Amino acid sequence: MSAETAGPETLGHLSEEPKGEDPGSSKARTITGKSPMRIALGRLLRDKIALVCLAVVLFFVFIAIFAGPLQKLFGVTTETAFPTQFLNLDGTPRAEFGPPYGGFTWDHPFGVAPRTATDNLAFWLQGAQNSLQIATTATIVAMLVGVTLGLLGGFLGGIVDRIIGFVTDFFLTLPFILAALTIAPIINERFRDSPNYPTIQVIALIGVLAGFGWMSVARLIRGEVLSLREREFVQAARVMGMPTRRLLLKELLPNLVAPIVVASSLMLPAFVAAEAGLAFLGIGVTTRPSWGQTLNQGIGFFDNYPLYLYQPLIAIVAIVLALNLLGDALRDALDPKTRR
Amino acid sequence: MRRTKPLAALAVASLMALAACGSGDGPSDTETGDFRETDAGADKDPDAEGPAPELEGAEAGGTITVFLPGDYGPDDLDPTNGWSVTGNSIQQALTSRSLTQYRVDEDGNATLVPDLAVDLGTPNEDYTQWTFQLRDNATWEDGSPITAEEVAFGIARSMDSTAFPGGPGTEYSTQFFAGADEFEGPYTDKDTDWTEWEGVEFDNDANTVTINMSKPFPDMDYWGAFMAMGPAPLGKTSQPPAYGQNIMSNGPYKVESFTPQDELVLVKNDQWDPESDPARHQYADKFVFKFNADPDQTDQIMLSDNTESQTALSTDLSAASYQDALDTLGDRLVQQSTQCTSFIYPVYGKTDLAFRKALAYAYPYEDAWQAGGQVPGVTRVPANSIMPPGMAGKPDYFVDGEQFTFDIEKAKELLAESETPPTIDMIYYEPDPLAVAANEVVVKAYEEAGFTVKSTPVQESPYSTYLNPDDKLNKSLNVRAVAWCSDWPSGSTFIPALFRGGATYNVGEFAEDAIDERIAGVAELPIEEQAAEWGAIDEQIQTEFFPAVPTAYYNQLFAFGSKIGNPSGDEALGAPNYKNLFVMP
């Protein structure tokens, strides 16, 4: 059997040899002049999924920030209604107020709620605001706690690290749902007389979410710090007599921006979902509109009025998915070693 | 009997603001159904004998599953402790016999008939002594005969308000039976042996039990239909609280397993003799009660008509499924009338008449029902009197000449006349989204009428706050609420429990000597005049003092599977008629 006379292996290199670049040329200068952040941003901008997700997230952020003015624009409110004016005997809205039996109406673009006859659009907008507000605040709190403890534990080591490690492990062993189920009624009972009851409920919820969210961050940061603190620039700074606080804030923290950004971007959707889940179970915020509550109420009407259930459902799925994918894209962009 | 379902409690909490209807702006399509009344078993038949008449087409065998959505069921099965619609309706029909009972026909009409006694009891001239001749062939689930001593011991147990604080004996036995001052019940009173107590005498040879009263008690035959007026095994066997988890059955079914708030499984008791029982049947092999079932899930199961739901029934269909159920279930959707009234009960000493009337006009009756998941005009209708429809002697009057309706303008006028500060302090049951929704509607209506409202969320049933005199929150309230159902069809189970000074469920702290005296005097009247007298007291309380705003009368919706025979309700208890259910082949 004869072999091909001119196979690729006999023709030598087909690939292009990198040409020797002149370090002084303009092309080389632009490459070396990019900061790591700009490189990451460039990668992110080339990622089409990330951009779509970013658009979705920005849409919801816009809704959340302008929930009040948007309600005024559409002429809807979250005020309690007198339901008999709007509803059939079985609790579904009458045809003139929109779905499920009637068509679209500008008075109630999303229709009215069964049983209570409140406006769906107003509740949906306000739900977005509450959801993002709670999730964002909880993320910030969890990050502050987690990063601080992670930095201290990793850098100081010794007894401090052991104590922080123990506390972290302890919190990890607490079952989240069980603890939330127990804490919510206690707090509600304790502060039920207070005129600030709604605010206290929100703060308590943020506390519960953040209290059960900081541990992974603390561990992540501690691991990063452990590897960073033996690096030359840290050793050099130490030798020069830099105080610990400055070391942590000026030398270590800037090098931890990437993991912190990635961790927050993945924590945010987890908190959005957790907030909705707790509201669904009836232990989240009960005094303000919430997507989870609407979900819970919508189940009984799914046969006759599926749109009522789909509104919060689609919103939750869209924002949680978008935030998750965006978080993944951010991680890929910031940390090329883990690229898929 | 108070409604113990959390859902009802929520309705109660929301009731604080509801009144009824017809405010005009809510045209509900009433052709789909309307409210029904019941006399709750006012008929009597002392000569009824066992066995109970066979039902047409009834066959033995099969398992019946009962879903009880949003209903936690009884915490224990001790007959002496049972005072809830759910627990009593199940146990009195299936496991625990008493002196008398109700026989319910296919239309749901209940008749009082004998049970362990051979008749409805023999009172003396002034109803201060009742003698019951017991039947010989009634047995426990282990086959041993039920003796007069065991029945007498069961009756003595009902005197123990410490061991059974939630039992009906606290309202009836201790009020009417002789020697209530000296005897605190067999478990609490260590000094007196129960056989020495003068309230009950028994004769094992003649098989009779005699009950002595401290004052005339003409309704003893009805009180005898409570399972608390039934036998208890002597000695350690029936020691509470253990007995409540492991009762000795004497009805057609016995307990196979019981998990509180979850499940109760009953199987045939082969020692029960049909000849001994004028009203019960033993058709199905097994009953499975699923407490606290998911309401939406249950509705779906019942509407789907699959193999699981064909032999199942639901004790509470939700409003969201009402229209579908009307179309698909037909006469398997049973609308059961119950003798219940709900009230907003402002604290009498803290409010004046104009304030209470303003409240009656400011309450958004139909709106609050709808937000609370009820079907206005079907499961709730406006109430005009204390006593519910169908109760003998129920008066027809309107406090203000016509039915109170949701009327903001009238409320404002009345509030301007009132010298009470226009503030309302009330509570609502926060764990239930329906209660929260109803509360929001009510608060809005009150505020539009010019009240300043402080509605505080509570995490347990509002009753646990109302019934706790030391609770700081409770002391601060000036508007409470209560929903009450009759124990038997007489004003005596309704008006004293709510309007006698110091009564447990008198949550509005109403007390007028004139009324207390008149209530006490009813027992002295000839029996045939008593019903009318209760009606007159009802009217006097409301027209002179108007202490409580009656907001609604109740109906219940039951859904039966397509293979359940004789789908009907029991008007005496406002529950499905478990005695007559069977599985069709």
Side-chain angles (χ1 to χ4, degrees):
Chain A
M1 197 185 294
S2 63
E4 278 200 44
T5 51
E9 64 276 11
T10 59
L11 288 177
H13 293 287
L14 281 176
S15 57
E16 273 182 70
E17 283 276 283
K19 289 178 195 141
E21 194 84 56
D22 173 10
S25 77
S26 64
K27 195 180 173 193
R29 262 204 304 276
T30 46
I31 290 172
T32 48
K34 271 185 183 169
S35 77
M37 272 299 149
R38 282 200 58 188
I39 297 172
L41 202 63
R43 286 200 200 104
L44 199 62
L45 288 177
R46 281 195 300 275
D47 189 339
K48 289 199 188 64
I49 295 178
L51 289 182
V52 173
C53 291
L54 189 67
V56 173
V57 171
L58 287 179
F59 170 72
F60 279 105
V61 169
F62 174 79
I63 284 176
I65 294 174
F66 296 104
L70 279 172
Q71 285 173 49
K72 282 213 188 80
L73 184 70
F74 284 103
V76 295
T77 68
T78 55
E79 249 178 64
T80 310
F82 290 122
T84 48
Q85 299 168 21
F86 299 92
L87 303 182
N88 292 318
L89 207 54
D90 63 353
T92 51
R94 278 186 241 146
E96 60 261 43
F97 301 105
Y101 302 121
F104 178 84
T105 151
W106 274 111
D107 292 342
H108 303 282
F110 276 24
V112 296
R115 204 144 58 202
T116 52
T118 47
D119 184 83
N120 288 343
L121 178 62
F123 266 68
W124 193 78
L125 294 171
Q126 204 64 44
Q129 185 179 54
N130 286 334
S131 179
L132 286 183
Q133 192 184 32
I134 288 169
T136 312
T137 322
T139 306
I140 292 171
V141 173
M143 278 297 152
L144 282 177
V145 175
V147 169
T148 312
L149 291 180
L151 270 177
L152 288 176
F155 188 77
L156 297 177
I159 184 80
V160 179
D161 189 26
R162 299 248 290 274
I163 292 173
I164 289 175
F166 175 78
V167 174
T168 311
D169 289 343
F170 174 73
F171 268 81
L172 278 171
T173 59
L174 295 178
F176 168 65
I177 289 287
L178 210 60
L181 276 169
T182 324
I183 294 170
I186 297 175
I187 292 188
N188 291 354
E189 182 95 16
R190 168 69 184 77
F191 293 103
R192 62 190 186 185
D193 289 333
S194 162
N196 299 322
Y197 180 65
T199 320
I200 290 170
Q201 245 191 355
V202 171
I203 293 171
L205 181 60
I206 291 171
V208 167
L209 288 175
F212 286 94
W214 61 268
M215 295 86 71
S216 60
V217 183
R219 285 188 153 189
L220 176 77
I221 297 299
R222 177 180 170 273
E224 293 282 328
V225 171
L226 279 183
S227 74
L228 278 178
R229 73 170 185 191
E230 305 304 331
R231 295 272 195 80
E232 291 84 353
F233 70 96
V234 180
Q235 303 286 15
R238 261 189 177 167
V239 170
M240 284 158 67
M242 206 184 253
T244 308
R245 194 171 61 91
R246 206 175 136 78
L247 247 175
L248 289 175
L249 295 181
K250 295 281 174 185
E251 301 293 339
L252 288 175
L253 203 54
N255 284 292
L256 295 170
V257 167
I260 290 174
V261 169
V262 171
S264 340
S265 65
L266 292 174
M267 192 180 273
L268 200 60
F271 282 166
V272 171
E275 190 273 333
L278 290 182
F280 179 81
L281 292 174
I283 53 174
V285 173
T286 52
T287 45
R288 294 183 183 191
S290 155
W291 286 338
Q293 278 171 38
T294 314
L295 266 187
N296 192 4
Q297 283 153 26
I299 290 175
F301 291 90
F302 184 70
D303 269 357
N304 298 326
Y305 192 179
L307 191 63
Y308 182 59
L309 186 74
Y310 284 136
Q311 289 163 2
L313 193 69
I314 290 172
I316 293 172
V317 170
I319 194 166
V320 171
L321 188 67
L323 279 169
N324 265 317
L325 291 178
L326 189 63
D328 281 351
L330 262 178
R331 189 188 58 204
D332 293 348
L334 287 167
D335 188 358
K337 278 176 280 182
T338 62
R339 290 204 88 169
R340 283 161 290 185
Chain B
M1 194 178 302
R2 93 177 188 205
R3 283 241 158 228
T4 51
K5 295 174 50 169
L7 203 66
L10 113 42
V12 170
S14 45
L15 295 174
M16 317 197 129
L18 295 177
C21 109
S23 34
D25 40 27
S28 38
D29 39 342
T30 38
E31 68 266 25
T32 49
D34 44 33
F35 194 74
R36 290 176 200 169
E37 301 182 1
T38 173
D39 69 359
D43 316 312
K44 295 182 188 180
D45 179 7
D47 304 320
E49 283 176 22
E54 286 294 318
L55 297 166
E56 200 186 316
E59 297 218 9
T63 298
I64 294 176
T65 309
V66 183
F67 293 101
L68 301 111
D71 188 337
Y72 289 88
D75 286 332
D76 68 72
L77 300 178
D78 197 313
T80 311
N81 212 16
W83 200 10
S84 72
V85 173
T86 309
N88 287 44
S89 64
I90 295 170
Q91 286 183 262
Q92 288 174 189
L94 302 175
T95 63
S96 301
R97 303 181 63 174
S98 51
L99 295 171
T100 60
Q101 63 175 329
Y102 296 96
R103 177 153 81 194
V104 187
D105 70 15
E106 280 151 53
D107 300 325
N109 291 322
T111 308
L112 190 70
V113 298
D115 189 354
L116 288 175
V118 297
D119 52 21
L120 295 177
T122 316
N124 64 356
E125 193 94 323
D126 60 355
Y127 298 100
T128 52
Q129 188 183 59
W130 282 75
T131 305
F132 290 88
Q133 172 69 47
L134 304 180
R135 60 182 81 239
D136 310 321
N137 48 0
T139 57
W140 292 100
E141 64 177 81
D142 62 3
S144 56
I146 295 172
T147 65
E149 183 175 11
E150 285 163 338
V151 175
F153 179 57
I155 291 169
R157 286 174 109 231
S158 73
M159 297 296 291
D160 207 321
S161 302
T162 311
F164 308 107
T170 55
E171 179 66 30
Y172 301 112
S173 295
T174 54
Q175 291 283 325
F176 289 102
F177 291 179
D181 307 337
E182 291 108 58
F183 183 61
E184 292 169 47
Y187 305 107
T188 307
D189 200 325
K190 304 288 179 208
D191 305 331
T192 325
D193 189 78
W194 72 270
T195 49
E196 289 162 27
W197 170 52
E198 58 180 301
V200 68
E201 297 159 27
F202 62 92
D203 184 337
N204 268 340
D205 301 327
N207 215 7
T208 58
V209 169
T210 303
I211 305 169
N212 298 310
M213 311 289 169
S214 57
K215 51 187 166 187
F217 189 28
D219 289 338
M220 181 60 221
D221 46 357
Y222 283 116
W223 173 221
F226 267 72
M227 56 185 178
M229 291 293 103
L234 302 175
K236 282 271 178 244
T237 321
S238 59
Q239 184 77 21
Y243 185 59
Q245 306 301 323
N246 188 21
I247 57 162
M248 279 269 270
S249 163
N250 47 40
Y253 293 86
K254 59 186 176 184
V255 179
E256 184 181 82
S257 68
F258 173 52
T259 316
Q261 311 201 349
D262 184 30
E263 191 180 65
L264 170 66
V265 182
L266 301 178
V267 292
K268 271 187 178 178
N269 169 15
D270 52 12
Q271 298 298 323
W272 172 79
D273 178 5
E275 297 294 325
S276 73
D277 202 318
R280 293 181 184 87
H281 296 102
Q282 195 183 41
Y283 293 130
D285 290 335
K286 199 172 183 178
F287 275 92
V288 180
F289 295 88
K290 304 262 189 203
F291 299 114
N292 206 19
D294 182 88
D296 299 324
Q297 216 176 353
T298 306
D299 287 355
Q300 291 305 320
I301 291 174
M302 295 315 300
L303 290 172
S304 70
D305 195 38
N306 60 17
T307 32
E308 185 187 5
S309 66
Q310 283 172 348
T311 59
L313 59 127
S314 159
T315 60
D316 194 1
L317 191 84
S318 69
S321 310
Y322 178 62
Q323 203 65 48
D324 286 347
L326 270 183
D327 300 340
T328 56
L329 293 178
D331 59 1
R332 318 210 134 262
L333 175 69
V334 172
Q335 185 182 336
Q336 180 58 52
S337 49
T338 60
Q339 286 193 337
C340 303
T341 313
S342 55
F343 302 89
I344 314 169
Y345 209 161
V347 174
Y348 191 61
K350 291 186 190 171
T351 55
D352 64 11
L353 187 63
F355 179 94
R356 294 193 290 268
K357 282 194 177 166
L359 209 55
Y361 282 111
Y363 188 77
Y365 299 88
E366 291 204 327
D367 295 297
W369 296 334
Q370 192 142 43
Q374 299 299 331
V375 189
V378 177
T379 61
R380 295 287 183 278
V381 290
N384 71 306
S385 61
I386 297 168
M387 288 154 72
M391 186 174 272
K394 177 195 180 308
D396 264 322
Y397 64 89
F398 294 102
V399 173
D400 254 14
E402 55 180 346
Q403 180 66 45
F404 286 113
T405 54
F406 178 36
D407 188 335
I408 299 271
E409 293 313 312
K410 273 197 179 168
K412 281 184 180 161
E413 282 170 30
L414 283 159
L415 199 56
E417 292 169 23
S418 164
E419 290 175 10
T420 310
T423 56
I424 293 176
D425 288 294
M426 58 185 199
I427 59 176
Y428 67 99
Y429 180 60
E430 197 187 28
D432 188 333
L434 293 178
V436 176
N439 175 67
E440 277 170 11
V441 173
V442 169
V443 168
K444 180 184 160 90
Y446 283 168
E447 283 177 346
E448 283 190 7
F451 289 100
T452 310
V453 185
K454 186 177 174 221
S455 190
T456 307
V458 294
Q459 308 299 320
E460 290 173 75
S461 152
Y463 286 122
S464 58
T465 302
Y466 296 151
L467 301 185
N468 182 356
D470 302 322
D471 189 311
K472 207 176 93 217
L473 175 65
N474 187 26
K475 282 185 211 166
S476 74
L477 301 179
N478 70 345
V479 174
R480 299 196 184 100
V482 64
W484 195 255
C485 301
S486 64
D487 287 336
W488 57 82
S490 159
S492 64
T493 68
F494 229 85
I495 289 173
L498 298 176
F499 295 97
R500 193 184 66 223
T504 312
Y505 284 93
N506 181 349
V507 294
E509 296 159 34
F510 173 72
E512 285 287 344
D513 290 342
I515 297 296
D516 284 352
E517 274 166 34
R518 208 167 164 191
I519 287 174
V522 175
E524 317 287 337
L525 293 175
I527 264 206
E528 56 281 4
E529 288 172 26
Q530 292 191 357
E533 174 69 2
W534 285 123
I537 296 178
D538 178 338
E539 190 165 347
Q540 189 194 358
I541 292 176
Q542 289 297 75
T543 48
E544 271 183 39
F545 308 105
F546 196 59
V549 184
T551 53
Y553 301 133
Y554 284 29
N555 267 7
Q556 295 273 114
L557 293 173
F558 304 141
F560 291 87
S562 56
K563 285 195 174 171
I564 299 278
N566 196 32
S568 61
D570 170 354
E571 63 173 1
L573 285 155
N577 181 13
Y578 299 116
K579 283 176 184 171
N580 288 5
L581 298 182
F582 59 88
V583 176
M584 295 193 289

